[in-house]
Amino acid sequence: MARLADYFVVVGYDLDKRGGLEGEGQGRILQRFPEKDWEDSPFPQGIELFCQPSGWQLVPERQPASFFVAVLTDINSERHYCACFTFWEDLDNPQLQKAEASEADEVDEELAVVQPAKVFAPKSLVLVSRLDYTEVFRNCLGLIYTIHVDGLTVPLETVIGNLLTCVIPIAGGSQPGQEEREERLRTITLGAGDRQVIQTPINDSLPVSGSSVAQLFRQLGIVNVLYLFCAALTEHKILFLSSSYQRLTDACRGLLAIMFPLKYSFTYVPILPGKLLEVLSTPTPFIIGVNSFFRSETQELLDVIIADLDGGTVTIPECVHISLLPEPLLQQTQTVLSMVLDPELEVADHAFPPLSTQPSALKIQDKEIRAVFLWLFARLFQGYRWCLHIIRIHPEPNIHIRLHTHTHTQEALSEDDFLMKVLDGMAFAGFVSERGPPYRATDLFDDLVANEVERIRHEEACPHKVMNHVKELAEQLFKNENPYPAVAMHKVQRPSENSQNAAQNQTPFPVLDEVAVQLFIDHAAAKLKTAPPVVKAELKGMVPSGPPLGDIVDRNGNVMANSARRLEVVRNCITYIFENKMLEAKKLMPAVLRALKGRAARVCLTQELNQHVLQNRAVLDDQQFDYIVRMMNCTLQDCSHMDEHGIAAALLPLVTAFCRKLGAGITQFAYSCVQEHMVWTNMQFWEAMFYSDVQNHIRALYLETEDGGSSVSGGREISALELASEQNRLWPTLTKEMQTERVQKEESTVFSQAIHYANRMSYLLLPLDTSKNRLLRSSGLGDVESVSNSYVTNSIAGSMAESYDTESGFEDAESSDVANSVVRFINRFVDKVCNESGVTNEHLKALHTMIPDIVQMHIETLDAVHRESKRLPPIQKPKLLRPTLLPGEELVMDGMRVHLIPDGREEATGLMGGPPLLPAEGAIFLTTYRLIFKGTPTDPLVGEQVVTRSFPIASLTKEKRISVTLPMDQFVQEGLQLRSCTFQLMKIAFDEEVASDLAEVFRKHMHKLRYPQHVQGTFAFTVGQCGKLVVEHKTKDKNQSLKTLSKNLVKSAKRTIGRQYVTRKKYSPPTWENRSSFQSELDEDEISVSEEVDQSSLTLSSTIRSSDRQTMSNVVERACCRDYQRLGLGTLSNSLTRSKNEPFRISTVNRMYTVCRSYPGLLIVPQSIPDTTIQRICRCYRQNRFPVVCWRNSRTKAVLLRSAGLHAKGVVGFFKSPNAPTAVPSQADSTSLEQEKYLQAIISSMPSYSESSGRNTLSGFTSTHMSTSDSSDKLRQPKIGALMKQVMGAKEDVPGTFSRGGKWGSIRGSGRLSAYNPDVGTRLAGKESPQPNGGPSEALFLRQQRAYLYIIGDKAQLKGGKQDSFQQWEVVPIEVCDVRQVKNSFKKLMKACVPSSPPSDPNMSFLRCLEDSEWMALLHRVLQVSVLVVELLDTGSSVMVSLEDGWDVTTQVVSLVQLLSDPYYRTFDGFRLLVEKEWLSFGHRFSHRGAQTLGSQSSGFTPVFLQFLDCVHQIHLQFPMEFEFSQYYLKFLAYHYVSNRFRTFLLDSDYERIELGVLYEEKGERKSPQVCKSVWDYIDRLNKKTPIFYNYMFSPEDYEVLRPYTFVSNLKVWDFYMEETLSEGPSYDWELRGRQERVAEETPEKPDTSGTKSQRRVVWPCYDSLSKVVPDAITKLLHDLQSLEAELGQTSEKWKDTWDKIKTTQRTETKLESKRMTACGDILKTHSSFSFLPLPQPSHQRRSQGVYLQESGVGSSINLALDCEASATSTPVAGRPSTSTLYSQFQSTESENRSFEGILFKKGALLKPWKPRWFVLDKTKHQLRYYESRQDKDCKGVIELADVESVTPGTPAMGAPKNIEEKAFFDLKTTKRVYNFCAQDSLNAQLWMDSVQSCLSDA
């Protein structure tokens, strides 16, 4: 029974402390009853604040009475419900006026005027109760008020006395009987003619919610409430806002109701008074309600979720992340909730909706919603009772839950954020302690979890069935709250209407007589004393546990596929080990280790091992021991540190059972070899293990005490919880002695387990070598250091405490240190578990004294074991293989044993089929040039292969430390992940024999080599000489650095150089000394040999000073001048005079590199511009890179210029209109004019301009254009427009910045000629002619409009340009890719092509990552601009590319344009020239972009040149016959431009190269032939030896301009990024290749001869070098030819000569053949038995995506065309259209794959004559087509080969051609008819028959 109300309080306005109308007043308690506190519930403080939460104020007019319930929580976390009934009373005014008068002098007059005559003050009647009966309280207080207002005759004291003495039952028991009904229905009356029925809930533990939950959902909506629900469960702060106090209380009540069965245990204040708002900044979670009056104060709360009940919004701050319900649950919950709240939604679309789909009444709906949440919790917590461990039963049950087994059971939810947070939260801890006990009263939730789990599981997918279940639950909930809905009757008077209105003359609320009230209370108390005690039988029972977890897990346990086979492998291997069949076991081992990745296999392993343990011991020999330990390690390494599968738990008894004898009386147990796993250092793991063991022991204890018969009930094991509940039931019946006996037994059980665990923990925590600090470093144990003594309870003996204080903060590597930390760890453990399981203090003290002894004893045992284990012969490790080194490459660090771990590429791991080459064991070598791994796979089945991975040290882009657990080994190793920009990745783990400081030395060396101080430290400079230094440096002294070692060398260098200068009588410029001071080493050759000093060091160092003539002769040697002469861009005669008629000249203005550091010494500029102008112009451009000519189109004479973008100030000056008023005739203006003059000079150099005599006569203007074929122009015209549109239609256009056309604008201009400007946009972005054929007039118009010079500029820079009046130049604004973009894109590309680990997200496939990298999009952009420029140049306009600083994108575009436009650059010499000219001379910053030195390390690696090579590769793929070099050549350059093996790509400009003396040395020095300094020389040498760089399909067309497709869909990923050859490493260092082959040839010959071996061998894509193992036909034939010549003893000739010979013989044959042809003129192509040379095929085939050489079977002849002469095509074709036009019609009508073609006479139908037709046999389409003639494009007819039945020799029929031998006829019989054919001669006929026949047989 409980009191309905504890206190009745009257609170009024405190007149003494009032604050006027506006100001804040205060409330005070006028009276309270009873005066003294009840013992069981003290009077709550601060009630007056809660009566007026928004402050006590006087108001000018009376307000209606109000009622709400506030909740206060006391110190014992009991909730008190304060029902506040507030009404308003008028105040005496005289008092008010008195107050006014005294303050009048201070207060403003006006204020005083406003004061109304009458004011009203609030007064509150408050009931304080521990029960929450809102309605009853509302009625009672309402009654009291009514009595007061209406002046009823009942004395108020009586009513209040009755109210305070009213007692009601708390809650009922099980089934309501008659008397219980009486109990539960308490009718109360307060003695004023009223009566109320109070229904108490059946079950007290279920919350009572009224309709508050339904209201909450109505106010906020489903999703919002779910957010709040999850936020409350995961301990976030929640604030409700509303203008109604009662709604705040209801909302809070509703939120708590849906959290059932969890209880909210943090701050809970449904109504927070304004004065206490600072509570909101508390750091703990809360649920608080605040009046929306205070909304502004809540704005700055950063981490509070605000729910506005009036507005229906929930605001979640950015910094708050709410973990929502896990997925299937969230969806299902939302569905069911919407069915409850909005049943019409489902049938909203039905044509005949059911009539009644109204949602239930609010009260019912409220219960339905709660039922949904109950259902949800039953799913979340199903099976929780199986995770409870009972540690003690007596004196009271002690329960502990093992969380992580619980989470694991929720298959789908195990990784879930939400559930983990809930389980770790306070609410769940409360749930366990409340619901854990096995013997207690049960409620609806217990029932649900126990009996309905199956049902829930079956129905979860079907919302309707769930809905039915929800309705059932709702019914129970409703019944609980309203056991007797029928008798809800109230009779309470309300104040009458007139009294409310006539309240004017109302008297204030009277002061009550305290004595009278107190009498009532005392009287009631006395009555209670005499009454007999009400004994309420509490119905306790055993709590059912529900279905065990096992079922749930197995239903979809994540067992791996074909697991049975894997388990078989594990079992067999274990059997072999114990039967001592070690070889068999060894073979199975790798498979077993792979299988142990799966959970089933790990469980199987523990079970199998268990069977081999006898009496807790299993003694093994060394090898068995080794294998078992390896398997245990492998099993443990995949367990997380939480061990949710219980694998580590199952292994724990085993590691102390398996052992081996090391010597007399010394045994080593398996635990000493499996310590390196995180799970052992995890406190929770040990606790869970301890509790489960304790539970088993206690269970055993009580099973014995039961009679033998009852221990097994019905053949089912009794669970520990069932036992406990039985014991709890019996407990009250036992005698005191028995009770104490049981308590002691349990205590000693726990105690002995604690000792046992202290032992176990010391086994697994103390390392074998206790001097090693490995454990402390790698695990969480080290952190214990910081914990000092706080964990040790005060009860520890003093002596113990001393030993703790000795501990210093440092880690001394002494055993005591390890021991101390282990002791502390075990102490923490013991403290925790013993306190939780109620062990007495004496026992705890005893334990604390024992632990150090246990640890010490164990250390002593371990010392002996360690000593002995050292004497064991080490496990045989594979021998380290030495790598082959390049000449001049030296080892810096000798091989360190490492394991190469597989990364994200799956080919080598064997997962995609093929052998598991990785992981491999070997060594890593650091040389001056490369990083090399060489080793053998750990899998014994592929053990004889050699795995090599290497990359140049200069290409290292990222190095990061990782820690790796090797599957074969027991230790977590430290490792490195090294990534290289040659698309290689090495993940290595150092073997345990490698000391960690050695690994550190390795990293330091690597960094030093990767980022040398200066470019001279790179391998290309130090090759062949710094090896000695480094070796010295290793032996002598560790800290001595390379720099100090090389000082002496530099000194001697200076001396020698100085001496030589003197002997040569040359002037030595003083700068040399300073310059040499920053070099780390100098080339030996330059120093030691005096002859060469003359050519290299001397002339170079003084180049910058010495006479012009000498500089000139040097610079002229630089290849560019040859090229300029070839292009006719000016010659350099001796006297440097220039022929005046040339439009351009070679200027020497930059010979000293003074005008522009990054340009070459010689530049091509217009003839008419003097050098002085150039010096002025260059200032307008960034880096002084002014426009210079770099190429001229030999046909249209248009020129290509390059420059940097304009400086900002330059732009302004440049775009200024000439008549704009300038304050000062500034220099900028004059430069702008000079610039204009410069551009004009370029334009006038074009013949098209000079001929057009002032530009306006059309005839002159078009003359040059008309020479080009009209047809091709028509084809191109719209194409340029389209191209322009594409290039400029980058994602967003910049509207209005250019001329009206929007996207175009030319550089200078004023408004003069705006009339004559039919919109540049239309001019170039090609509004095509209305006539479809583009008639001449239109073409002329378009041509007349074309500008002479286009400037390709950066969109961002060219804002605000105006139109050029005469339209002689025009600006094309494009968006270029920023260097940063390239850098980031490349990083992503590397990660996509060479991922460091297999993708965790299945969506991130290779193609998705590739797309994300945007690399292809960047290529597309560069190619697109290049193709546009090519088109413009080809149509006779000059182009100036002026982007960024002129050395990245500009270089790419300019080089690609030249490559596409000029076939010369597609040969070996030409490409070299192109790179030397555009990339090296024009100063692309190779060193800076490649981050080659320490200085440029921060800028990172940006592969601009690689991007260019990739573009060339894309063009090569589309035009395989236009390039003399092969794809391999491009890869070779791509590899070596970052490898630093050659000096070619070092340094940033010619100026720097001259300064260092690198530029011309290549010609002068030939001292050491094996060390090649230039990549070009190397390629030349190699090209002489092997055809690897040559493209056999090379058969160019004259002046072919290539126009590749540039869309991303046409681009392919370069295989350079993907391929890998593990057998030998990258194939780009050819010396290594040769050496390896020689080595290989010497060894394997002997054994092969013994048995007959198959000639076939398996080729593994990621292991073998495909080009070597599966060479193409030509390479193979050339190779065979060479070896045959060698066998015959002839001197083999060079491959190129052989090739050329074959070509020439082929050519002569072709010519002879063409003479022999018949007069007909259409002849069958030559047939040669060995015809592998490509012909200029029809255009669509020339642009194939990589044409393969067709096989030379009979009849498939490929014409051997070598020149593009007419004869070469073997038919004097009259008007064969040029390829360029063919390229433009990209799709030909038929896709013609011509396997065989030629003229045949065909007999017509009846009475028709024989006619010659051109026949084409097409193998791919499987048809024979015929055309009118060879040139004809329209097919006359098709014979489907599928219909052909036979081909037979025929006889001449009537009307056949004369003079043709009989054997030339043949017939083709199809299913429909017979065709008669006749060839030129019998040979030809035979060929045709054979070809057709071969097609038929192929099919």
Side-chain angles (χ1 to χ4, degrees), residues 1706-1722:
Q1706 206 65 41
R1707 187 175 298 151
T1708 49
E1709 273 181 32
T1710 316
K1711 286 185 177 162
L1712 290 171
E1713 187 80 14
S1714 63
K1715 287 178 192 158
R1716 266 202 0 251
M1717 297 299 180
T1718 53
C1720 162
D1722 298 281

Side-chain angles (χ1 to χ4, degrees), residues 1407-1447:
L1407 292 171
R1408 167 57 54 83
C1409 295
L1410 183 69
E1411 184 188 19
D1412 287 351
S1413 76
E1414 296 187 343
W1415 181 257
M1416 297 312 234
L1418 294 179
L1419 295 184
H1420 155 71
R1421 209 181 284 178
V1422 174
L1423 280 166
Q1424 202 180 32
V1425 176
S1426 309
V1427 172
L1428 169 70
V1429 176
V1430 169
E1431 289 286 357
L1432 291 172
L1433 287 166
D1434 207 44
T1435 47
S1437 302
S1438 290
V1439 179
M1440 173 169 130
V1441 182
S1442 120
L1443 300 165
E1444 36 77 37
D1445 286 340
W1447 49 38

Side-chain angles (χ1 to χ4, degrees), residues 381 383-388 435-438 440 446 449 543-545 721:
F381 294 160
Y384 79 96
R385 298 199 69 75
W386 292 92
C387 310
L388 298 178
R435 294 189 178 262
R440 60 176 167 78
D446 292 314
V449 172
V543 182
S545 297
L721 280 174

Side-chain angles (χ1 to χ4, degrees), residues 577-580 582 609-626 628-629 632 654-663 665-670:
I577 292 175
F578 285 101
E579 290 173 358
N580 246 330
M582 283 308 160
L609 290 179
N610 251 323
Q611 293 171 7
H612 293 278
V613 179
L614 299 169
Q615 284 106 34
N616 295 342
R617 187 58 57 95
V619 185
L620 311 172
D621 67 15
D622 283 344
Q623 224 178 347
Q624 287 173 323
F625 185 78
D626 186 45
I628 295 291
V629 162
M632 284 180 172
L654 295 175
V655 294
T656 52
F658 287 98
C659 58
R660 60 175 169 190
K661 288 263 192 292
L662 288 181
I666 294 177
T667 311
Q668 177 178 16
F669 284 91

Side-chain angles (χ1 to χ4, degrees), residues 741-765:
E741 182 198 348
R742 294 196 170 187
V743 172
Q744 278 164 356
K745 272 191 182 167
E746 285 184 27
E747 167 101 16
S748 58
T749 306
V750 175
F751 180 63
S752 58
Q753 278 304 311
I755 299 175
H756 179 46
Y757 267 84
N759 275 303
R760 274 187 169 179
M761 289 168 82
S762 62
Y763 292 159
L764 281 156
L765 294 175

Side-chain angles (χ1 to χ4, degrees), residues 1829-1843:
S1829 69
R1830 162 100 193 263
Q1831 283 75 22
D1832 196 5
K1833 285 270 173 283
D1834 294 332
C1835 175
K1836 284 280 169 286
V1838 176
I1839 302 171
E1840 289 294 341
L1841 294 183
D1843 301 339

